[in-house]
Amino acid sequence: MAIDPKAIPHVEIGLLDGSTRNGRLPSFEPTMMDLILEGERGRTSLAAEQIAYVAFHPCKAKPDVALSGPLERFLIHLRGGKVFAVEVSPQSIASNLGFRGRPTAAGSPFQSIFFYRHGVNAHEKDVRLGELLVKSGAMPVETLQLGIDAQSQNRNVPIGQVLVEQGEVPSEAVDTAVLLQARRKMRLGQMLIEAGVATQAVIDRAIAEQKQRKGKRLGQVLIDLGLITEHNLATTLADKFQLRLINLAEYRIDPAAAAEVPRDVISKYGVLPIDITPSSITLAISDPLLVDALDSVRFHAKRRIDELLVIPSQLKQFVDAYLAEPPPPAEPADTGQQLDTLLKGLRTDDVAAGAEIDDEDDDDERGTAIGGDEGIVRVVNQIIIDAYRRGASDIHIEPNGTERDVSIRFRVDGDCFAYQSVPAAFRNMLISRIKIMAGLDIAERRKPQDGKIRFRLGSKRIELRVATLPTVNKNEDVVLRILASSKPLPLHQIGLSDRNFRELSRAIRQPYGLILCVGPTGSGKTTTLHSALGAINTEDTKIWTAEDPVEITQPGLRQLQVSPKIGLTFAIAMRAFLRADPDVIMVGEMRDHETASTAVESSLTGHLVLSTLHTNSAPETITRLLDMGLDPFSFGDSLLAIIAQRLTRALCRKCRVQEPGTADEFAEVMRAYDAQTLETTFGVTLGPKFRVWRAKGCDACGKTGYKGRLGLHELLISDNEIRHAIAHKAPVEVIRRAAIATGMTTLLQDGVAKALAGETDMKQVFAVCTG
């Protein structure tokens, strides 16, 4: 029986070289090795390996193959140069043989097209301008429909122009969307050829290799094959897309930014959010053509995307480091509710009638009995758990006699706030339980005691330093400092300015010398020293530390806990280290002349020594050590750097606002910088354009306007002028002027600069810095 020619579909077959063949195709399966095409000149056999696509014209006698699953629009770029706009199932694109799509271009003569995998150079999502505007949050779907309806009356006017003329969308949003839409159609290979970085032969070789490495981006393939360098790729992309190329190691990364984007999105696309404002999120990328990543981050963060370009290997290093960190524990809706429940479970009639008797003997017997009461055990445990989850550094338990409840306060980000109150009847039970946990004498209530509690929360180990103090009206206060074992922050994440980061990085890589970190208790000195050690903690460097207590641990360091009670002091530990073949020594604190002089001697005998001191500023540290009796010539020769620091509260990045500043606020800024410096360095002048950042308050920061803490730094780098001043025991002001002449910014100046940048506000800066 003859086959009706009308039942044989008419096709166009595109070859890899860009030429086409037309005719009828009696049969077609993607697995066929050869296709038999019937044309005017008879039958032609075409090898499948030479074919890029088969496009089917409509055929009434033979319905087209149905496409399964949800469809999306793609632009399919073929070898030979052709580009087709089609609807296709995203899952089918991954097929090894090829995939079928339905043309979306108006007036297309084809019903469907089958694309052979070996004929496809690239595929990209075909997103229209209106959809991009909706995705970016520039307008709702309803506004887009209004624009489409208006455009239908005049097809010659672009949809973007219609929306702008109607006042529905700002022109800037349309411009951004147009650029993003154009970016989707750009080809990396062509850009590299135009930039003179690669030839067509190099790109063809990389494309052939890319097909073998399914899922790899072309840029990475070029780098892996050694055909271009990472720097070539990054500078070409930065120039093409007008993006800023940055070194992430010198960028202050805000951890809050990454928290706005799911970790699986960061892992999938290899991008890293590094800064955030109420309206935008800054994204570190290595491939501007990976626009799907921008769409995904924009969708989850609900903010505008500001892109910064990073060399691929460095970005991967930072992304891997972020993903290696365990996600933060989920914050309970109201941790205080759990304690309320436990307190309601305590029965006041369980407390002996003589609980308020002040006789020590009776109190000793009673304390031992009730200290292990199951209810009070749970209450104390919950207090510690809640404090840790809220990020508290200290727990203050403050009894107020028999008439008033026991106050419990937490210190978070440097400020105390009321957490809970416990009925006065349980005050002795509460204090006794904590004393038992810390191994203290529960019978001794007349003098201060101190001890430690080791507490386990799941797999997390928490250490608490406990101090008890007798207070008036026969009360006994307890303060617990939480020393949660943690990893050191990378040096680039502790908030150093660019100059301070660069100079400190250079100092810690010197083979010998003395580096000091100074400031009051709780100013983050230990964190800074451990960050510095982390930057030089390599397999070929032996590092010893003597600390009291050991708050931060890191592999590779040999850490020793000093114990003055048994005679193991900092000075003795240092002398022992010198017999243990060190390269670097870190001493927790220079408490006396012996420790300081040993540190200086160690630095002069070929060791890098880091330590802390309690002084107010970097220049004052020099006079303080000279007053201790150090030899000025030895000290001057050994000193490399002194970094003074403070911790201040950081503005909540989700709710901070920038508002016009007042004349009084400008006067405060002038205490740190003169008018010329303010204008040239920060672009700040007194007038309508002078603006300051202020705390507003939202749910994320507990309505305070502040979240987290920020380091302010003052870095003195020793040079010939400083060494001369030390040798002559010069006054503090002389040393300060010499340090400023070499580029040092004072604590106040660093604080003002960070306030102008929106990281904190002037109120917080002046709370920790003097003018």
Side-chain angles (χ1 to χ4, degrees), residues 397-399 406 426-436 442 468 476-478:
I397 299 176
E398 303 163 339
V406 179
F426 301 107
R427 73 184 195 282
N428 286 335
M429 298 172 67
L430 186 65
I431 302 301
S432 295
R433 172 57 189 165
I434 294 173
K435 282 186 171 183
I436 290 172
I442 62 173
T468 68
E476 189 174 16
D477 283 29
V478 179

Side-chain angles (χ1 to χ4, degrees), residues 218-286:
L218 179 61
Q220 190 58 50
V221 173
L222 287 163
I223 293 169
D224 292 346
L225 292 175
L227 300 175
I228 63 171
T229 67
E230 283 192 311
H231 189 263
N232 290 150
L233 177 64
T235 52
T236 300
L237 294 174
D239 181 63
K240 180 68 177 178
F241 296 109
Q242 296 297 295
L243 295 175
R244 179 184 164 202
L245 180 63
I246 66 164
N247 180 359
L248 266 185
E250 298 178 358
Y251 194 93
R252 290 195 295 272
I253 297 176
D254 182 359
E260 294 295 313
V261 180
R263 294 168 74 90
D264 59 345
V265 172
I266 294 173
S267 175
K268 177 180 179 181
Y269 294 110
V271 297
L272 186 65
I274 56 176
D275 202 0
I276 191 168
T277 72
S279 60
S280 69
I281 187 166
T282 302
L283 190 66
I285 61 172
S286 62

